[in-house]
Amino acid sequence: LNTLQATRIDFTPSRSYKMQWNLNIQRQLTRSLALTVGYVGSAGVHLAHMIYDYNQVPPSLVTFNGTNYIFPIPAAGAKIQRVNPNFGQIRSIDFQGHSSYHSLQANLVQRLAKGLTYQVAYTWSKSIDNGTNTTGGDSLNTIQGPWSFCQRCERGPSDFDIPHNLVVNFLYDLPVLASVKSNKVANTVLGGWQVGGIYTRATGGAYNVKITTDQAFTGNAVASASSGGLRPNYLGNLPGCSPAEVTTGDINHLIKTSCFAFPGPGVLGNLGRDLFRMPVFR
C-alpha cells in the first residue's frame, strides 16, 4: 500500500484575488525632457499552492528548538511515521499562497532634440511569496518546501525577484553635410543613418543550496529530486558569510561552502529560501 499515490485538493477554497495600486508623479524638466517617479505595489491572496508531498511527519511529533525543527528518528527497520501510512506520496493543492510586491520606479525620457533621443529606466523592488511556482519547472533555481507543514520555511523572495534593474537606451541621427543632402545619390547612400544602443544592468537572479537526501526524516518523498526542498544549516553569523558575501564571483569557487553545514540526523536545516544571488547581470 505504501506505493500508492494520491492527490489532496481543497474543494471549498477561499476566493483568490490580487490587489494592485500605484502613485506616479511626472515633472517636465525641459521642453523635451521629462521625469516620472512612481510607487507600484500589489498583493496576491489565497493563491493556489502546490505541495508535492503532504504525507509527511505530522506537526504533533515535531518540536522546534528556536533554530531548527527536530524530527523523531525511526528505530532500525521502522518506517517514518506519516499522516496516512496507507499511502506513499500525497500531492496537495491548497489556497494558502500569498505574494506581495513593492517598487520604486523612475523613468527619464528625452524626446527627439538635435537628433538625439534617450531613455533611462530604473526599478528598485522587492517581491515576496511563500512559493513562486504552482506546478514547478518555471525556474531551474526554484526549491520546494522542506516540510509540508511549515509555511514560514517557504516565505522569502520570489524566484523572479530582481531588486535593482537599470535599462538605458539611446538613438542618435548621424549628421549629414549640406553638400551631401543636396545630392540625391549621395544623400540616399550616406543620409538617414542612426546609431543606437541598449545597456542593461540588474541584480543577479536568486539561487538555493539544497540537500538531496531526507536526513531530517521528514518523510518528504521528493527530497532527492533536483528541486527537492531539504536544506543545510546556514552559518550566517560567521565572518564573511552574510548573504551578500556567500557568492564569491569566482567561477572556479562560486560559493563559500564553509558557510554551510550538514544538520544532524532528525534535524531540518535552517536555510531560508532565495537568500543568495548570482553575480550582477549586465
Side-chain angles (χ1 to χ4, degrees):
L1 289 177
N2 287 337
T3 60
L4 292 178
Q5 294 186 356
T7 300
R8 170 185 172 270
I9 301 176
D10 184 358
F11 288 102
T12 57
S14 301
R15 172 66 67 183
S16 299
Y17 63 92
K18 183 178 182 180
M19 300 173 288
Q20 295 177 302
W21 54 88
N22 67 84
L23 173 66
N24 295 280
I25 299 176
Q26 187 177 74
R27 174 71 175 177
Q28 194 76 26
L29 302 179
T30 68
R31 300 181 68 179
S32 60
L33 184 65
L35 174 66
T36 303
V37 178
Y39 161 70
V40 178
S42 67
V45 182
H46 300 308
L47 305 177
H49 186 227
M50 181 73 176
I51 299 175
Y52 282 83
D53 188 9
Y54 188 80
N55 198 19
Q56 299 182 29
V57 178
S60 59
L61 302 179
V62 180
T63 60
F64 185 68
N65 64 7
T67 305
N68 299 83
Y69 286 97
I70 309 300
F71 292 76
I73 300 177
K79 296 181 179 180
I80 296 175
Q81 187 167 344
R82 303 174 184 271
V83 173
N84 189 336
N86 296 317
F87 286 86
Q89 179 183 355
I90 297 179
R91 293 194 175 195
S92 173
I93 299 176
D94 60 34
F95 291 82
Q96 300 181 32
H98 183 275
S99 67
S100 63
Y101 173 79
H102 303 278
S103 68
L104 169 67
Q105 300 182 8
N107 190 23
L108 182 68
V109 178
Q110 169 67 57
R111 294 192 298 273
L112 186 63
K114 297 182 179 180
L116 175 66
T117 178
Y118 61 83
Q119 181 180 18
V120 181
Y122 170 72
T123 300
W124 176 34
S125 64
K126 188 73 171 180
S127 181
I128 299 175
D129 57 36
N130 61 348
T132 298
N133 296 323
T134 301
T135 58
D138 293 338
S139 170
L140 292 177
N141 292 327
T142 192
I143 190 169
Q144 297 169 6
W147 181 42
S148 60
F149 299 100
C150 182
Q151 290 280 340
R152 63 187 296 269
C153 296
E154 277 295 88
R155 185 160 179 80
S158 304
D159 294 345
F160 53 80
D161 178 53
I162 303 294
H164 300 278
N165 189 44
L166 172 69
V167 180
V168 180
N169 66 77
F170 76 95
L171 192 64
Y172 179 61
D173 295 331
L174 294 178
V176 180
L177 297 175
S179 58
V180 174
K181 287 183 177 181
S182 62
N183 187 298
K184 291 184 178 181
V185 176
N187 189 52
T188 300
V189 176
L190 301 176
W193 289 93
Q194 297 175 317
V195 60
I198 301 174
Y199 174 75
T200 300
R201 185 181 181 91
T203 306
Y207 70 86
N208 294 278
V209 179
K210 312 169 187 178
I211 294 178
T212 56
T213 57
D214 185 16
Q215 62 184 52
F217 297 101
T218 65
N220 190 342
V222 294
S224 60
S226 61
S227 56
L230 275 293
R231 307 165 195 177
N233 273 334
Y234 172 43
L235 310 179
N237 57 337
L238 295 181
C241 286
S242 69
E245 296 174 304
V246 167
T247 307
T248 65
D250 179 4
I251 194 63
N252 297 310
H253 187 203
L254 191 61
I255 301 172
K256 293 182 180 178
T257 54
S258 59
C259 296
F260 304 93
F262 279 98
V267 180
L268 187 64
N270 64 3
L271 177 61
R273 173 174 157 263
D274 288 342
L275 291 183
F276 311 117
R277 298 280 170 178
M278 291 181 281
V280 170
F281 170 81
R282 59 185 181 274

